[in-house]
Structure formats: C-alpha cells, structure tokens
Amino acid sequence: MPVQLEQHFETPDWMTVDSSQKSYELVGQSARLRQVLRLAAKLGKGHWPVLLLGETGTGKELVARTIHRNSPSGPFVTIDCSAMVGPLMESELFGHAKGAFTGAHTQKIGLIEQADGGTAFFDEIGELPLDLQSKLLRVLQEKEFRPVGSLQVRKSSFRIVAATNRDLAEEVHKGTFRQDLYYRLNVVTLRLAPLRERKDDLPSLIAHFLENYGSGHRLSGELLELLMAYDWPGNVRELENCIQHMVAVNSGPLLHGGDAPSNLLNFEQKRRLAAGGQSPPGNLSYLPVQGAPSPTASPESTFVMPVLPLSEMEKRAIIQALQYTKGDRVMAAHLLGIGRTTLYRKLKEYGIQD
C-alpha cells in the first residue's frame, strides 16, 4: 500500500505525484510517434524497467506517464535528478527520521517510499551522483532502504522509468555512471525522435497548443510555413513556448509572421539572405492545388475564369488545406477557420476524399 503523506510534508516544485486522475496525451500522427504509443501500451502491461533517451523537450515525461496510464496502479512520482542538489538529496529520495540532522524536526517520507506500488520516473537520471546511484541500485535489487538517520529498514516496490539526454554508455565509460545500474535500467530502451525528424506531427501539435492557449487564434499561411521550416532545437517544449508567445502578443484572431519570437524571426532573416534577399520559396498564402493553374503562369499559357462560383472556391480551399496538412482534418479545419463538424459536412457535400 502506498504510504499516506503526513500533513507537514510539502511537495517540492520539481516533483509531481499523480494518482492517474489527470489526462496526459501525446499529440501527433507520425509513424515514429505511433510506434512509441504501441510500445508504451505493451510496456504498461508489464513491470519492466524502461530507459527513455532523447533530447530535452521531446516529451520523455509524457511517454513515461503514458506507460503508467496503461497499467494505472499506484501513484506516478516524478523525480527530477537535475533539480536535487546539495546535502539533502538523500533525504529527498529516502526520507529521514526525526532529529537525523539539524532542522529535521519531524519525520519525512522520501520520494522512493511515495512511489511504492506505482511508477517512479527518474528524469535526467544521468545527473544523479555516484553515491546515490549505488543506493538506488540496492532499492531496485532488494526493494528496501533506510531513511537518513534511521535504523529501520523500509520497503518499496515500484516500476522505474528513467530518462536522460545523455549517452549513458559513454558516462559509464568515463566512470560517472555505474555500469551495474546502467544494465539494471537498460532492459527496454525507447529513443524519442526530435521534432525536426517528425515534422508530420507539427500541424497536430500547433492545433493542440492553439486550442489550449488561444482564443480562436489562427495562423496566416506565411507564419505556418515558417513554423514548418524551422528545426525546433528545443523540440515540443520550444514549440509550446512559441505558441504561447504569439497568443500573448497578438489578441487575434489571425497570427502573422511578425508575431513570432525573435529566434524564429532571426531564422527567417537568414533564410531570406540565403535566398538572395528574396522571399523564401513556398509562401503558403498560395497553396497549390493539383490540376489548378499556377498564379505565376502567363495569361498566354493558362486560361483563368474571371469569376469562380463560391462553391468551387470553397471546394478548392478545402482541397488545398487537406493537401498541405497531408490529410490532417483537424489542422485543415483550423486553417480554414471552420469547425471539424462543418469540414466533415463539406467533404461529404463536395464528394472530397482525402
């Protein structure tokens, strides 16, 4: 049974205890993300240690929560190893007895004990000092530990999911990470691709963050093209921050390129200089439709009707949006400024099959 927290215990900012009542979602539709979701579902049914590798901001904690959610027994405890510093690290992990050291006026329950029966997510485990690595290894092997200043042995059994942006094999070679702990953690490894390698997920992520932070905000074509061209070194976390910034500086409803944060504007300036000072190719204010005349075609080569029926213009706009989003109807509806239900009705009305 998980130990109940005493009233005097305050949860640190860098630790979260989740009773699986809150919903966490991995957003996207790329093949790489679907593979991660399938593996998370399988791993959730077992109790194997999982090691998550990936750059900062790729969503390692979300994957850990997804694994836990597929077998929601006990609490989900997040332990940020990079935030635990100083002489009280051992106390934070294992707890302490009353009077164990100056200032220990009451008994404290550690994070290891809180995770009993659930999942302990060790974020940035490569930051954990060697002395605590050995004590963590004993907990994983023997399911027991002793709080600081206590002679009493306590029990705790949990699934461990560890994450790092470091090369742990290299850390083992350098002697900064225990080899036996590395083998203990490296039972199943999931590598999370950076956002630049799965840009198919960008439209869904943009729509998700706009729904969360915006008030009916929409992106202009040139801004969407810029977001799609950028490599996102900070990954999903940087994208989320970008959407928050643009919503904060523009009351909407339409967001433009000038609303982007400075790092994206600098990237766009470099692109223009690389293109000889011209506007970068692929300006999305015009989204090409297969079989439709190009806006740059000469009058002699293309016959253009002076006026198109509204229904035809609407049909072409829907086709353009679906082509650009590669069939993502949610993002297409967002670009068109209509609801998903309306888009589904229009698809049926015009006989469009994406």
Side-chain angles (χ1 to χ4, degrees):
M1 292 290 292
V3 177
Q4 297 296 318
L5 304 186
E6 300 177 24
Q7 291 185 354
H8 67 267
F9 179 83
E10 294 183 1
T11 302
D13 293 338
W14 41 263
M15 187 273 289
T16 302
V17 179
D18 176 41
S19 59
S20 301
Q21 295 181 0
K22 185 175 179 179
S23 175
Y24 295 88
E25 181 182 7
L26 284 165
V27 177
Q29 59 180 9
S30 66
R32 291 193 177 193
L33 183 62
R34 289 197 300 269
Q35 182 182 23
V36 168
L37 289 171
R38 285 194 296 268
L39 286 172
K42 290 181 179 179
L43 294 172
K45 298 174 182 177
H47 206 70
W48 305 107
V50 180
L51 181 60
L52 304 176
L53 304 178
E55 297 177 7
T56 299
T58 50
K60 295 187 288 291
E61 182 171 350
L62 278 179
V63 174
R65 290 183 180 276
T66 302
I67 292 171
H68 175 74
R69 192 173 64 238
N70 280 281
S71 180
S73 59
F76 181 95
V77 179
T78 299
I79 303 169
D80 186 351
C81 300
S82 64
M84 292 193 302
V85 294
L88 297 182
M89 293 179 66
E90 185 175 356
S91 170
E92 296 291 351
L93 275 179
F94 302 106
H96 62 248
K98 181 179 178 180
F101 49 83
T102 302
H105 302 300
T106 57
Q107 177 184 348
K108 178 178 180 178
I109 297 172
L111 305 180
I112 293 293
E113 192 165 353
Q114 293 176 49
D116 186 30
T119 299
F121 172 57
F122 280 77
D123 195 15
E124 300 304 339
I125 196 166
E127 305 287 341
L128 199 64
L130 280 169
D131 59 329
L132 292 184
Q133 290 178 27
S134 62
K135 294 180 179 181
L136 174 60
L137 180 64
R138 176 171 178 80
V139 175
L140 297 178
Q141 292 175 337
E142 308 298 334
K143 313 298 183 186
E144 63 183 31
F145 64 97
R146 284 194 308 172
V148 177
S150 174
L151 298 177
Q152 182 182 7
V153 175
R154 308 294 292 261
K155 296 284 187 179
S156 185
S157 178
F158 52 86
R159 172 217 294 276
I160 184 169
V161 179
T164 181
N165 59 10
R166 294 188 178 189
D167 184 343
L168 287 189
E170 178 62 24
E171 298 297 322
V172 169
H173 179 72
K174 293 190 299 185
T176 57
F177 200 85
R178 291 182 62 99
Q179 186 178 50
D180 45 7
L181 179 58
Y182 173 65
Y183 289 137
R184 189 77 182 185
L185 298 174
N186 194 28
V187 175
V188 179
T189 301
L190 285 181
R191 295 184 180 273
L192 306 186
L195 193 52
R196 64 182 174 273
E197 294 180 8
R198 53 183 184 96
K199 287 193 174 182
D200 288 354
D201 290 332
L202 270 171
S204 297
L205 286 165
I206 292 170
H208 174 74
F209 291 136
L210 283 174
E211 183 178 355
N212 282 354
Y213 303 117
S215 300
H217 286 79
R218 295 181 292 110
L219 305 184
S220 66
E222 42 114 11
L223 175 57
L224 181 59
E225 194 270 344
L226 173 59
L227 298 185
M228 295 296 294
Y230 186 61
D231 274 344
W232 302 105
N235 295 295
V236 180
R237 188 174 297 149
E238 183 184 7
L239 174 63
E240 181 178 17
N241 179 269
C242 172
I243 299 297
Q244 289 177 320
H245 168 88
M246 293 190 297
V247 167
V249 300
N250 189 328
S251 57
L254 189 63
L255 301 175
H256 300 278
D259 299 317
S262 59
N263 53 335
L264 269 78
L265 295 179
N266 292 337
F267 167 78
E268 174 66 359
Q269 185 178 22
K270 291 178 181 178
R271 282 211 310 162
R272 289 178 180 271
L273 291 175
Q278 301 297 318
S279 297
N283 190 318
L284 297 188
S285 60
Y286 171 78
L287 296 177
V289 182
Q290 187 175 3
S294 166
T296 58
S298 65
E300 293 79 9
S301 61
T302 306
F303 172 75
V304 180
M305 291 181 62
V307 177
L308 285 176
L310 287 175
S311 59
E312 180 62 24
M313 293 178 64
E314 186 175 60
K315 180 179 179 180
R316 290 191 181 191
I318 292 173
I319 294 174
Q320 289 172 349
L322 288 171
Q323 285 181 344
Y324 178 71
T325 62
K326 298 181 180 180
D328 187 328
R329 296 185 177 186
V330 175
M331 191 60 186
H334 166 74
L335 291 175
L336 294 166
I338 60 177
R340 283 178 290 178
T341 303
T342 302
L343 176 60
Y344 295 151
R345 178 170 54 82
K346 293 292 184 181
L347 291 174
K348 185 176 181 181
E349 178 182 340
Y350 294 127
I352 301 173
Q353 296 183 352
D354 59 307

